[in-house]
């Protein structure tokens, strides 16, 4: 049974107005809530015709105490003078209620539904990723940008045999990569064990085999790449990291160390104004920018690792190469 759908019906919702920038900053894990036994589920949505008028709805199990409400207010500086709306929800499936209005997303060849009731899209690869439980449903520009970039990489003939998705969230990007390169090994990890459990459920829902062999996705709970199995399954010829700019910069050495010479790194989760700083961190690790695609304020960066001879001696990349790294099977 879906563990979230089985939660007690006595749930509460706290609502605050916010700006679009504040709403986008709330994607992913919120450090202020990590110490809570049952952190709230945060949902953001547009609140009106004004592009900068957004709303935060926080769903709690049980009545939130003043400290929890204050934590929410701390996340939304623009609402400092606004009294939050606090309401007890009726005996209904509040997760379903919170998802009402979410539309399916089409990104490249992929069509991502957040509700089983929505029809599949003919001529597309369809995934069902329920919203509200982990980041990475396809709704956010960063996830959609990664899907489009993966699709483009396959269309131009790039081939991979060993793929990793670090900070996988719902597992969606790992599933998409495995569909594009079905003879690859796939590794997906997240720091949140709940996200890993959700990824496992999503794999079953979408017919993606879980395991450690070719054409299967192996799931791990890990902070970054700090897990023996993730290191043992390296080197990767394609590594995806759709997280935030700060962690991307911090993880640059460890991520790049696991990429095969000539391999590809896909980065997302950063804002446009953060791109230069993120790129600088990865250039210092021997990466070069091969392609950039912006969706609104959110760029997706495709980088390649410069082959090296001897100790940190860069070598020019063969521009005719198709993206595969040696040692792994291709399609």
């Amino acid at each position: 049974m879906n563990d979230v759908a089985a939660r007690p019906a006595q749930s509460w919702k706290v609502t605050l107005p916010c700006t679009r920038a504040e709403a986008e900053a709330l994607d992913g894990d919120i450090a202020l809530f990590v110490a809570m036994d049952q952190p709230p589920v945060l949902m953001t949505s547009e609140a009106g015709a004004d592009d900068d008028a957004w709303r935060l709805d926080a769903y709690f199990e049980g009545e939130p105490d003043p400290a929890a409400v204050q934590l929410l207010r701390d996340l939304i500086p623009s609402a400092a003078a606004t009294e939050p709306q606090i309401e007890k929800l009726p005996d209904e499936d509040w997760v379903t209620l919170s998802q009402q209005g979410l539309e399916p997303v089409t990104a490249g060849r992929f069509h991502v539904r957040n509700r089983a009731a929505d029809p599949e899209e003919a001529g597309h690869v369809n995934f069902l990723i329920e919203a509200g439980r982990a980041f990475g449903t396809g709704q956010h520009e960063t996830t959609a940008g990664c899907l489009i970039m993966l699709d483009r990489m396959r269309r131009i003939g790039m081939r991979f045999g060993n793929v990793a998705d670090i900070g996988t969230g719902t597992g969606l990007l790992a599933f998409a990569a495995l569909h594009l390169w079905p003879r690859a090994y796939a590794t997906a990890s997240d720091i949140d064990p709940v996200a890993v459990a959700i990824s496992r459920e999503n794999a079953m829902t979408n017919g993606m085999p879980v395991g450690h062999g070719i054409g299967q996705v192996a799931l791990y709970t890990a902070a970054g790449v700090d897990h023996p199995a993730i290191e043992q399954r390296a080197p990767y010829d394609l590594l995806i990291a759709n997280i935030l700019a700060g962690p991307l910069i911090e993880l640059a050495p460890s991520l790049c160390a696991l990429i095969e010479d000539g391999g590809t790194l896909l980065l997302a989760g950063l804002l446009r104004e953060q791109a230069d700083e993120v790129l600088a961190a990865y250039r210092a690790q021997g990466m070069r920018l091969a392609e950039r695609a912006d969706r609104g304020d959110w760029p997706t960066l495709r980088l390649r690792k410069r082959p090296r001879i001897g100790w940190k001696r860069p070598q020019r990349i063969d521009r005719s190469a198709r993206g595969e790294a040696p040692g792994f099977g291709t399609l």
Side-chain angles (χ1 to χ4, degrees):
M1 178 181 292
N2 183 307
D3 59 343
V4 173
R7 285 176 172 176
Q10 302 303 313
S11 300
W12 290 68
K13 181 174 75 170
V14 179
T15 301
L16 279 167
C18 63
T19 65
R20 177 176 180 174
E22 289 169 336
E24 291 173 339
L26 293 176
D27 283 312
D29 294 327
I30 304 299
L32 292 175
F33 294 114
V34 295
M36 296 179 62
D37 292 334
Q38 296 177 329
V41 172
L42 306 183
M43 303 292 294
T44 57
S45 59
E46 294 182 78
D50 184 352
D51 186 58
D52 202 39
W54 283 63
R55 184 181 75 188
L56 166 66
D57 293 313
Y59 294 85
F60 288 84
E61 295 182 20
E63 184 176 4
D65 59 31
V69 174
Q70 185 58 50
L71 287 178
L72 281 176
R73 301 188 70 170
D74 291 342
L75 293 172
I76 311 296
S78 67
T82 303
E83 194 67 24
Q85 298 179 18
I86 304 175
E87 59 180 311
K88 184 178 180 181
L89 298 178
D91 293 343
E92 298 182 77
D93 181 357
W94 59 269
V95 172
T96 300
L97 291 175
S98 72
Q99 294 172 13
Q100 289 179 353
L102 286 181
E103 296 297 328
V105 172
T106 300
R109 72 184 68 191
F110 301 105
H111 184 74
V112 185
R113 299 174 297 139
N114 301 130
R115 299 170 297 194
D118 291 327
E120 294 188 349
E121 185 75 11
H124 289 75
V125 179
N126 287 272
F127 288 115
L128 174 59
I129 306 291
E130 292 187 1
R133 301 182 59 200
F135 179 65
T137 62
Q139 294 288 332
H140 197 275
E141 298 289 359
T142 60
T143 308
C146 286
L147 291 173
I148 292 171
M149 184 68 78
L150 288 170
D151 178 60
R152 169 173 164 72
M153 289 159 59
R154 182 64 181 86
R155 291 185 188 280
I156 65 176
M158 298 181 71
R159 297 171 294 180
F160 302 102
N162 195 19
V163 178
D165 178 16
I166 306 302
T168 192
T170 62
L172 174 58
L173 296 180
F175 303 159
L178 198 55
H179 172 84
L180 295 172
W181 298 283
R183 289 177 53 82
Y185 294 89
T187 302
S189 70
D190 200 282
I191 193 172
D192 184 0
V194 175
V196 175
I198 291 168
S199 296
R200 190 177 302 277
E201 293 176 13
N202 287 336
M204 296 177 60
T205 298
N206 291 279
M208 304 298 298
V210 175
H212 300 87
I214 293 175
Q216 299 177 325
V217 57
L219 298 168
Y220 302 101
T221 300
V225 295
D226 188 16
H227 192 290
I230 296 175
E231 296 176 359
Q232 291 167 7
R233 291 169 68 88
Y236 301 100
D237 50 4
L238 171 60
L239 193 149
I240 306 163
N242 179 20
I243 46 180
L244 299 174
L248 283 176
I249 293 171
E250 182 180 350
L251 289 171
S254 56
L255 292 180
C256 295
L258 298 185
I259 300 173
E260 177 66 68
D261 281 2
T264 295
L265 174 64
L266 203 60
L267 299 180
L270 59 147
L271 288 163
R272 181 183 300 167
E273 58 266 26
Q274 299 168 326
D276 288 344
E277 186 178 3
V278 171
L279 282 170
Y282 284 85
R283 288 191 177 107
Q285 301 299 322
M287 308 296 295
R288 74 166 181 87
L289 180 64
E291 184 176 2
R292 171 175 172 168
D294 289 19
R295 287 176 62 85
D297 295 329
W298 303 90
T300 304
L301 308 176
R302 176 167 67 88
L303 300 96
R304 291 192 64 191
K305 187 173 184 179
R306 298 179 184 274
R308 298 176 185 276
I309 299 176
W311 176 246
K312 294 188 176 181
R313 182 178 176 185
Q315 184 182 36
R316 185 178 300 276
I317 290 177
D318 180 4
R319 295 184 181 274
S320 66
R322 303 180 68 186
E324 66 269 34
F328 297 101
T330 58
L331 295 177

